[in-house]
Amino acid sequence: MIRPLVIGLMVLVGLKELAFADCRAVAVTAGGRPVFGIEDLVVDQALGRAVLSAHDRWAVSEKAGGGLFLLSLAALAGERAEAVELSAGFHPDGGFRPHGMDLRVETDGSRSVLAINRRWTGDTVVERFSLSGDDLRHLGTVESPFLCRANDVAFLETGRFLFTSDHGGCGGMAAGLENILNLHHGFVGLVDEGRVRMLATGIGFANGLLPDVAADRLFVAATREDAVLVYRLSALLAGDGAAVPERIAVPGGPDNLSRAVGGALEGRVLAAVHPSLLALALHRFGHRIGLTDMTATPTRIVALGADGAGQVGVGRTRAEVVVEDDGRRLPGATVAAAWRGGLIAGSATSDRLLVCGDEPSGAIRSSGWAAPAVPR
């Protein structure tokens, strides 16, 4: 059912076929229990594994649990994949409910991890970790009023990272008002050795972000604008927040972003997009008003590609649908990452991953561009 629908969409808009023909759902467990709500993931290409960020949004807040999980990509060959809960020993006040995350490969080969923690107590912070093998060690917590609606995070250097805030107001009432009036108060911020400042404002639900230091670009998902915004990274860091970004229209509200390495998608920016924000809202929150049959919302993955031989985010860029599913295999994908010519996708409301393509391997997130020096 996936392939005909994707090809039809591509024919209508005159795009080259890059659709994946074979997609299947793989259930993810840890200690034999489902890992529910895989909101974000980062693939560690060199080690052939992925770090998953998950928590159960449908559980009672204090009992929702959640954590960071380590998954060998080889385990995705079967119908069920067993992960290791990395954060099992991490019990901060307010709990650990990870949201957006990033992984950086340091020059000595060690791994650093950032994870947004939307505590059940209502405040939001960024947790810093080191990762060696399956040993995750907490290094500290970044707290700031600017982080109250933080959504995603991306390394620039070890002590510097970017984050998105999906709303400008902190409380639920302020966020609700922004949604009702379609106000664009989301923003991108910078944390530099503990100091926090805003870089770009006026974004309609700033969601996933992906810096490309080598190309001097910053990709930001504007969910309520059906667009990926592309900024000149050096200009933002220099304080030119008024710079007008390039807009790449996408067929739905974009969520997390990643960069593909290898295969037909080489160099493409991948985005999980929500075809209908209304359908997504009913799927996530319909049970609160008695709509118990809202069990699925579509999954759509697009790849951003430059016209001709240009770079993505420079000049004309188009979005090509590479996966389309009615949601029965994976409802409402929130993240996608490429691997050995295929891809994997996760969802904030599922304990499954959608695996498309035959062989596991190779995608990177923002950590792939973390090594070059970044202008201060």
Side-chain angles (χ1 to χ4, degrees):
M1 181 173 189
I2 292 176
R3 184 178 177 87
L5 188 53
V6 176
I7 294 175
L9 286 169
M10 291 185 167
V11 169
L12 286 174
V13 295
L15 298 178
K16 178 176 69 173
E17 181 189 338
L18 286 175
F20 290 99
D22 301 311
C23 294
R24 55 193 175 83
V26 177
V28 180
T29 58
R33 298 186 302 274
V35 177
F36 196 87
I38 305 172
E39 144 76 23
D40 201 0
L41 63 87
V42 181
V43 173
D44 190 332
Q45 180 184 7
L47 298 181
R49 61 190 195 175
V51 179
L52 315 178
S53 171
H55 82 266
D56 188 351
R57 299 186 182 198
W58 286 342
V60 176
S61 294
E62 297 92 326
K63 300 179 181 179
L68 299 178
F69 298 83
L70 186 65
L71 179 67
S72 168
L73 296 179
L76 294 176
E79 296 181 354
R80 184 175 301 275
E82 180 71 8
V84 175
E85 185 175 358
L86 295 171
S87 56
F90 180 53
H91 303 289
D93 292 340
F96 186 38
R97 301 199 309 161
H99 204 72
M101 63 163 296
D102 195 19
L103 179 146
R104 172 183 165 88
V105 181
E106 304 292 354
T107 55
D108 63 359
S110 64
R111 269 61 175 165
S112 297
V113 176
L114 295 172
I116 290 172
N117 182 9
R118 291 189 167 181
R119 297 167 171 167
W120 66 263
T121 49
D123 53 329
T124 299
V125 299
V126 175
E127 309 288 3
R128 298 172 50 247
F129 301 92
S130 65
L131 176 62
S132 177
D134 60 0
D135 180 22
L136 185 75
R137 297 191 178 186
H138 185 240
L139 301 178
T141 301
V142 180
E143 300 183 65
S144 168
F146 286 104
L147 295 171
C148 69
R149 296 291 304 187
N151 189 298
D152 199 12
V153 65
F155 277 109
L156 288 177
E157 296 168 346
T158 303
R160 302 175 76 208
F161 62 86
L162 301 168
F163 68 92
T164 54
S165 178
D166 49 45
H167 293 79
C170 288
M173 184 175 295
L177 186 62
E178 289 182 36
N179 291 340
I180 293 171
L181 299 180
N182 195 26
L183 302 177
H184 294 181
H185 289 174
F187 62 89
V188 176
L190 170 71
V191 176
D192 187 350
E193 300 296 345
R195 299 181 299 274
V196 185
R197 63 186 174 97
M198 297 170 66
L199 297 182
T201 60
I203 302 171
F205 202 101
N207 202 321
L209 79 167
L210 182 70
D212 185 341
V213 175
D216 193 23
R217 293 290 183 271
L218 174 64
F219 299 85
V220 180
T223 304
R224 296 182 68 86
E225 300 182 46
D226 288 357
V228 174
L229 309 180
V230 188
Y231 296 87
R232 188 171 295 277
L233 179 59
S234 59
L236 290 184
L237 295 175
D240 187 8
V244 178
E246 179 189 352
R247 298 176 61 86
I248 303 173
V250 295
D255 206 303
N256 285 305
L257 307 175
S258 68
R259 172 82 74 166
V261 175
L265 296 177
E266 171 69 37
R268 299 292 185 93
V269 173
L270 300 178
V273 302
H274 304 294
S276 168
L277 294 182
L278 175 59
L280 179 68
L282 290 174
H283 169 68
R284 289 186 178 178
F285 309 114
H287 63 284
R288 297 182 182 178
I289 56 175
L291 298 177
T292 57
D293 59 340
M294 302 302 297
T295 57
T297 187
T299 275
R300 179 177 292 167
I301 310 298
V302 302
L304 307 184
D307 286 338
Q311 294 176 311
V312 177
V314 180
R316 295 184 59 191
T317 303
R318 65 184 186 274
E320 303 182 41
V321 178
V322 293
V323 169
E324 183 97 353
D325 184 43
D326 60 11
R328 284 181 290 184
R329 301 186 193 197
L330 185 76
T334 52
V335 62
W339 61 317
R340 279 193 190 167
L343 61 79
I344 56 177
S347 169
T349 57
S350 180
D351 61 351
R352 291 167 286 168
L353 293 174
L354 189 67
V355 180
C356 301
D358 297 329
E359 298 180 293
S361 175
I364 51 180
R365 289 273 317 266
S366 59
S367 53
W369 301 282
V374 182
R376 288 185 178 271

